[in-house]
Amino acid sequence: MSNSGSARKRPLPPTKSQQPPPSKVQALGEEEFFDEDVFLDETLVPEDEESLILRDIEERQALASRLSQWARPPLSPAYVSKTQSILFQQLDIDYVIGESHRELLPNSFGPAAIIRIFGVTREGHSVCCNAHGFEPYFYISCLPGMGPDDISRLHKILEARMRESNKNSKVPQFVRRIEMVQKRSIMYYQQQKSQPFLKIVVALPTMVASCRGILDRGIQIDGFGMKSFMTYESNVLFALRFMIDCNIVGGNWIEVPVGKYRKTTKLLSYCQLEFDCLYSELVSHHLEGEFSKMAPFRILSFDIECAGRKGHFPEPTHDPVIQVANIVTLQGENQPFIRNVMTLNSCSPIVGVDVMSFDTEREVLLAWRDLIREVDPDIIIGYNICKFDLPYLIERAQTLGIADFPMLGRIRNSRVRVKDATFSSRQYGTRESKEVTVEGRVQFDLLQAMLRDYKLSSYSLNSVSAHFLSEQKEDVHHSIISDLQNGNSETRRRLAVYCLKDAYLPQRLLDKLMYIFNYVEMARVTGVPISFLLSRGQSIKVLSQLLRKAKQKDLVIPNVKQAGSEQGTYEGATVLEPRAGFYEKPIATLDFASLYPSIMMAYNLCYSSLVTPEDVRKLNLPPECVNKTPSGEIFVKSSLQKGILPEILEELLTARKRAKADLKEAKDPLEKAVLDGRQLALKISANSVYGFTGATVGQLPCLEISSSVTSYGRQMIEHTKKLVEDKFTILGGYEHNAEVIYGDTDSVMVQFGVPSVEEVMKLGREAAEYISGTFIKPIKLEFEKVYYPYLLISKKRYAGLFWTNPEKFDKMDTKGIETVRRDNCLLVKNLVNECLHKLLIDRDIPGAVQYVKNTISDLLMNRMDLSLLVITKGLTKTGDDYEVKAAHVELAERMRKRDAATAPNVGDRVPYVIIKAAKGAKAYEKSEDPIYVLENNIPIDPQYYLENQISKPLLRIFEPILKNASKELLHGSHTRSISISTPSNSGIMKFAKKQLSCIGCKALISKGTLCSHCKGREADLYCKTVSQVAAVEELFQNLWVQCQECQGSLHQDVLCTSRDCPIFYRRKKAQKDMAEAQKQLDRWDF
Amino acid sequence: MEIDGEKTLLERKQSTYISLDETFEIRKETYGGQQYSQIYFTRLHLMRTLLYSLVPNLKPHLPVCKILGLEKGKECIIVGTLYKHMKLKPSILDEYSKTRSVTPLVKPHNFMHPDDHLILEDESGRVKLGGTMLLPSSYVTGIVVALHGKETGAGDFFVQDVLEAGLAPQIEFPLESREDKYVVLVSGLSVGSSASNPLQFQLLVDHITGHLGDEKEQAIAAQIVHVIIAGSSVEIPRGLLNGQNLASQDQSRLSEPIKELDIMLTQIAASVPLDIMPGPNDPANYSLPQQPLNRCLFPGSAAYNTFRSCTNPHCFELDNIRFLGTSGQNVDDLQKYSEAKDKLEFMERTLRWRNLGPTAPNTLGCYPFMDRDPFLIDSCPHVYFAGNQDKYETSLLKEGQLVRLICIPKFSKTGVAVAVNLRNLECHTLSFGTQFDL
């Protein structure tokens, strides 16, 4: 079993537990690709079972008619009579093993791989195209002197060995044929144009791998002895192979002309148009004009609610699914056209939503399946659906014994398959996930997309939507969900509204972030199926482009054995040592535009232009035809042999230029979205080529290329620094000596010394032009922006105001400064932001210092809003599994002892604050639940926050500005007075007797409000008390009104317990403060 | 020269006073975790009973529905609480927004936006309102309305008509008292602020107490039977009240204006009954109903039984004429979230909506009442006033019953107090402005 998530098709394991847990051996590596064959018959439900299901459907006629109004538009007569060619946008391509088609392929027999292409026509009809005749193959290099007889001998030996290792297979012939072709390996510069290779065609896709294994290990051939063969292109997934050979890219339009297709005799799918054809008859359209548009896909966004038991995260073996909310939208429309919710037990109606209530969970699940079948979504989206919702539904159905539930795919009677998968890649790290295969429907989990594309402090749906949609979402704690479910139809309605919102938000995120456009364009640019983009890493995208290009040039790509990390590492990008400081003169930034791609193009760096050290000696190349890179490698110049990588890059960058130009012209917002997505995809793709060559455990690592790239990069940064500092001098006729204060991977910061932004921009442009002239095209230095003022802290840490025009700054730009670190409390973020704002925008250093002092004083005086001090960490395992004791884990344990129902479970995020504890208490013992702290007046530990949270980021900012930053900010007079609240429930306070004290001077009194001394100050003391009350009242009102707003109801109590919401603790605190303030005020009523 | 001329002894007129502030007092109620939903619920419940009773008379042929029971295309009457979705409404969450804007985006005095729309809510659900009958610009969140219309295909409710409850019934206007008696209304004294002019205030006090002018004028003063101070009587430097211990000179700065006010009030209270209401700037709580200013602030005047510290809103009867009014917060809040030609129109609307402060608790601070809504107006007052307005405005509503609406201007800014005649509800200003435009 492969552990690095891959194959498209796997049979459903009888039970989950039988699967061995994925081993971690390859967890560090880039993915490796495997095909896995799925036999059509194995996945299908036996006929009698099918009829049983059908009967069941009849019983639920009422529901069926309710759902059928959402079916796809009926086929036009031209389609029915097959007098129209079928043009569709494909979304998913996979394959299945079936009998070869007798009519289309009269000469073949036995099992064969059938490519299935799923898509949508312009009219919105669903399409399933079975393409026949495409055969899996790979190459090996031909041994010198091999003749036709040797080849047929090889064929026989190979066939025999294959039969030996696949004893159970019913395939009549394993190796279909072996052909000799003229190709050339992509590796290294070679003078001869081509050499013979053997193309080995096998019967089924999985046989590529087993055949490769045999050839790798070596076979005995008469006359040649024991030989092992280097294989080429033997690790290409079958579906991708098909796409490459047919020039199909992910998400493009495919046409099947009239007469070239025939209706499938026995329909296998639920698609409206299902037909068979030869793969060679497919016409793949280029992405231009009409064909760059999107078909009206149906996008289903859904969310489920489960009734968990108190104290447990819902488990499919115990806890029922109680609601499923669905939102269906047509691609290109603003509003969903279906909104419904399926509930267990009655539920009051919701305006604009179709509420379907059922008495049993079985009916709920089956209704959802019927919905999927009727609505027939092309894309299924949701938040964490891949890891939670979908596997939960399927496992739940298994527990309930609903055998006919998991038929959610487009293939009739075929069950979806769930398996554990580990996805690991250098860029995204290792993540465990469940893989649910729903045939013919693309799954797009917004959570996975978020994790992939954005660095956020929290990935809860609430905080993600707060971040992107600027909306807080009501969060109902799972302990309340069961209560709502067990209430009446009104409380269940409440839950349904909540569930609907959770289903709608992913759709809105998808729209807001243009995900459909960006991902479809990425698939089109890189040529991989859309589903690969989320489930796989970067390298397959580059590999796909490389394979396409290689095919055009008759090159073949060797399957390099996983070399591990023995090749070692190489020197990375350079950073010019920053001269830290606060620069109050404008700083010009000179950027290299797409530096690494430009270098590869300029110096023709490629696999096919690299000359091996032996060849350097042997070939005796003229020096004017080669480049020696700063890292010592030799590459031939493009005049001799143009590299493939430079060519790919050139195409990508030209395409990007064109897309950007078209974008300017475009009027239609949808067209704009497509083009913008395309240019973005092109940019990302161009930049990932370099990484592909440097991935030591990747598909085709070539450190000679990547180390050359970075060495050129370093050279260029140094070169730029030198040129700037040589040319822009007083001696050279300029006002000041220019100074390079910092340089990073692809940019150089220059202080020209001139005070006006406009002057600096002029000089910046001049410098960029001058220096660009000294580089080989297309390497280009660009001047884009000025930082003024600029706070340079250290490597990759800086902040400044960003100017692109001399009139007004565009924004404040910060890098590497704590504003989004997860384990920081909000206080740090606010403090840092406010300070930067004061320093950079207001240019008010004393103001910033004062602000810091006030904040520290507030902290020490216990006046800080508690929500600012909350630290949040995810609980990934239970306490025993953690080796080191961690604050949040310990707290979760303690909370479980207090109240198991509301304690955080594995998977939850645990918010905590650090409290003052006994001397010598360990850090992890000092964590406490913020609510508990509020309720019991537990003092927080200001020293912890001062030292462990705010001091470092603050000093980083202020050290370049103030001389004695630490002394001034952290140890000044403002840190002298400290106030600590008295806990109400702990230790000695339990025995303390409370006595009245004078409000004015805290002297003990026996009755009344004030002592005799303070009597005269009644009025002003009263004013003080009442103004505090007024302040709390105002806060109370603002907070609770906001929460009503969020939950979208005035007449119902706020239930939300979203601890991600910044005002959650404040709201709690306001409620408590209010009660106390009123008590204080009541003392004056005498 | 008059020697031993018969000195007419002017006697101040009297009137009977009944305080009706009880509904605005928060006594036993405490903050025990209740939320704002109850007050909306109570409001909806009480108003619905009233509005339902109107349906048989106004639209006898139409069925009455709940929002849940709406059916597409079916005309019906629905009753619910309005919620106005406002784009620019400030939110406490703005404090946490990612990017701090360099300049504040909205003007602070009005948060209207053309995209605002109305939503009707009852305990069963919400529906978006469409049509042109109900202009978002003149309605606010918190009003209970009865609407005639039908659900459209898009799930909106198309409003065809609004059923109005109209003014609440009044207690009978007493006809027997046919003599001139005046009630003086003043607000925004702002003692201690830079705008306040001590002389102006002294003139007002002297006029009321009869120390000003000749006999004729004194005779008028003698007809003043009651003085109402509608909020914002002092201005305390807020900066001093940040929770830190006060230095002694600050203590005096804090209490000085209050002492000054007490001295003046003592003079009034010595001669005529006086009601003082708390207002936006007073040392009182923030939420409505504001509770009476503590008597400990007024050691001098509180000794008189003519001195009454009242709630805001304040309701009372003088000679069976009912007064109701606020220190102006309700009207000011309406102005932030809706539009009208003048302040009087806002006031009139609150009477028709039968709610003194519909925007409480949404945008107007309010105590979270459990089982009542003190802002409901079940009996229409004869005199309805709002304090702390920019200028003096008045009008008389005549709809079978008379209602005098008064905007009391800020005294510290205008030097104007308002006198209402109890005989005929006529109304005039007493101007003490010491600056004249010559």
Side-chain angles (χ1 to χ4, degrees), chain A residues 12 20 61 210 310 314 479 583 597 615 704 716 731 734 736 771 821 973:
Chain A
L12 178 75
Q61 260 318 322
S210 66
K310 299 266 179 204
S479 63
Y583 294 89
D615 284 353
E704 290 90 341
M716 266 152 207
L731 285 176
Y734 292 89
H736 299 269
I771 298 167
R821 286 255 322 262
S973 61

Side-chain angles (χ1 to χ4, degrees), chain A residues 337-352:
Chain A
F337 73 104
I338 304 178
R339 288 188 194 87
N340 64 32
V341 60
M342 293 156 177
T343 65
L344 178 60
N345 298 338
S346 64
C347 171
S348 304
I350 302 167
V351 181

Side-chain angles (χ1 to χ4, degrees), chain A residues 348-352 466-468 470 472 490 493 809 826 833-834 837 841 863 865 867-868 1017-1020 1022-1024 1026-1030 1033-1042 1044-1046 1048-1054 1061-1063 1066 1071 1074-1075 1078 1081 1084-1086, chain B residues 26 29-31 33-38 40-41 44 67-68 81-83 89 91-93 95-96 98 100-102 121-127 141 151 155 236 238 241 243-246 251 254-255 258 283-287 292 294 296-297 361-368:
Chain A
S348 304
I350 302 167
V351 181
H467 188 264
F468 292 106
S470 318
Q472 288 289 336
E490 281 295 326
R493 175 182 181 280
F809 63 87
L826 210 56
N833 277 346
E834 190 61 37
H837 193 271
I841 296 178
R863 286 193 298 248
D865 169 14
S867 56
L868 295 176
R1017 291 174 51 209
E1018 241 180 349
D1020 69 70
Y1022 177 77
C1023 285
K1024 233 172 104 173
V1026 86
S1027 80
Q1028 277 163 14
V1029 171
E1033 277 179 337
E1034 186 169 2
L1035 202 58
F1036 179 91
Q1037 185 237 347
N1038 280 333
L1039 292 165
W1040 282 93
V1041 163
Q1042 179 56 45
Q1044 282 195 318
E1045 204 119 310
C1046 261
S1049 161
L1050 301 173
H1051 295 101
Q1052 279 164 329
D1053 270 350
V1054 174
C1061 175
I1063 65 172
R1066 281 178 86 184
Q1071 207 168 32
M1074 205 51 245
Q1078 213 188 16
L1081 196 62
W1084 292 90
D1085 283 332
F1086 41 80
Chain B
I26 299 164
E29 284 144 314
T30 52
Y31 282 84
Q34 73 270 41
Q35 304 183 2
Y36 284 132
S37 52
Q38 272 99 341
Y40 282 116
F41 189 84
L44 175 64
I67 287 176
L68 278 186
T81 310
L82 282 180
Y83 171 77
K89 186 184 166 201
S91 148
I92 193 151
L93 288 173
E95 285 177 29
Y96 300 91
K98 285 172 286 177
R100 244 192 73 160
S101 57
V102 184
E121 175 176 331
D122 65 13
E123 58 281 65
S124 68
R126 280 188 167 193
V127 65
T141 300
E151 191 191 339
I236 300 168
R238 292 270 148 187
L241 297 168
Q244 274 151 2
N245 285 333
L246 288 175
Q251 281 177 18
L254 196 62
S255 50
I258 301 172
N285 58 330
Y286 165 83
S287 299
N294 199 296
C296 76
L297 298 169
N362 192 42
T363 47
L364 190 61
C366 163
Y367 175 85

Side-chain angles (χ1 to χ4, degrees), chain A residues 43-62:
Chain A
T43 59
L44 298 187
V45 179
E47 297 273 338
D48 51 334
E49 230 178 283
E50 186 188 355
S51 58
L52 195 126
I53 295 159
L54 289 175
R55 211 166 49 238
D56 197 32
I57 293 172
E58 275 163 37
E59 281 168 19
R60 289 176 289 120
Q61 260 318 322

Side-chain angles (χ1 to χ4, degrees), chain A residues 107-250:
Chain A
N107 302 327
S108 299
F109 51 92
I114 303 163
I115 293 280
R116 284 193 306 213
I117 310 172
F118 295 97
V120 183
T121 67
R122 203 176 294 163
E123 301 87 353
H125 302 312
S126 54
V127 174
C128 173
C129 165
N130 297 314
H132 297 266
F134 189 73
E135 296 171 308
Y137 66 89
F138 64 102
Y139 300 98
I140 57 173
S141 50
C142 183
L143 296 173
M146 262 184 132
D149 291 348
D150 299 317
I151 292 172
S152 78
R153 213 170 307 137
L154 173 70
H155 190 169
K156 280 205 190 87
I157 299 167
L158 209 50
E159 180 73 27
R161 290 284 298 271
M162 286 291 286
R163 189 160 300 280
E164 219 171 276
S165 52
N166 296 288
K167 285 206 180 83
N168 316 337
S169 182
K170 292 171 285 187
V171 181
Q173 192 186 16
F174 288 93
V175 180
R176 289 262 165 97
R177 60 187 179 276
I178 298 181
E179 299 162 8
M180 188 184 282
V181 288
Q182 292 296 318
K183 296 265 176 186
R184 185 155 62 86
S185 169
I186 194 174
M187 285 311 289
Y188 307 122
Y189 170 68
Q190 290 159 34
Q191 278 174 323
Q192 69 270 43
K193 280 277 157 278
S194 63
Q195 57 192 61
F197 278 81
L198 297 179
K199 179 178 176 182
I200 300 181
V201 182
V202 293
L204 297 179
T206 37
M207 291 175 187
V208 170
S210 66
C211 202
R212 175 184 66 201
I214 291 165
L215 289 162
D216 271 348
R217 286 190 293 275
I219 52 175
Q220 184 82 30
I221 310 173
D222 293 346
F224 294 91
M226 182 73 176
K227 284 280 175 196
S228 81
F229 290 83
M230 167 77 117
T231 63
Y232 293 82
E233 305 191 1
S234 58
N235 58 346
V236 184
L237 291 174
F238 185 61
L240 188 61
R241 177 85 264 169
F242 160 76
M243 289 172 73
I244 291 166
D245 288 6
C246 295
N247 265 324
I248 292 171
V249 294

Side-chain angles (χ1 to χ4, degrees), chain A residues 693-754:
Chain A
T693 64
T696 48
V697 282
Q699 294 299 309
L700 193 59
C702 183
L703 295 192
E704 290 90 341
I705 298 177
S706 43
S707 63
S708 297
V709 170
T710 50
S711 66
Y712 273 122
R714 284 194 299 276
Q715 201 184 43
M716 266 152 207
I717 296 275
E718 300 282 351
H719 177 72
T720 307
K721 176 181 155 81
K722 189 166 173 305
L723 281 187
V724 167
E725 291 187 346
D726 286 353
K727 182 177 161 72
F728 295 88
T729 57
I730 296 173
L731 285 176
Y734 292 89
E735 270 177 68
H736 299 269
N737 283 334
E739 212 184 333
V740 171
I741 57 164
Y742 179 53
D744 204 343
T745 320
D746 57 358
S747 60
V748 175
M749 315 284 186
V750 188
Q751 173 166 261
F752 286 108
V754 211

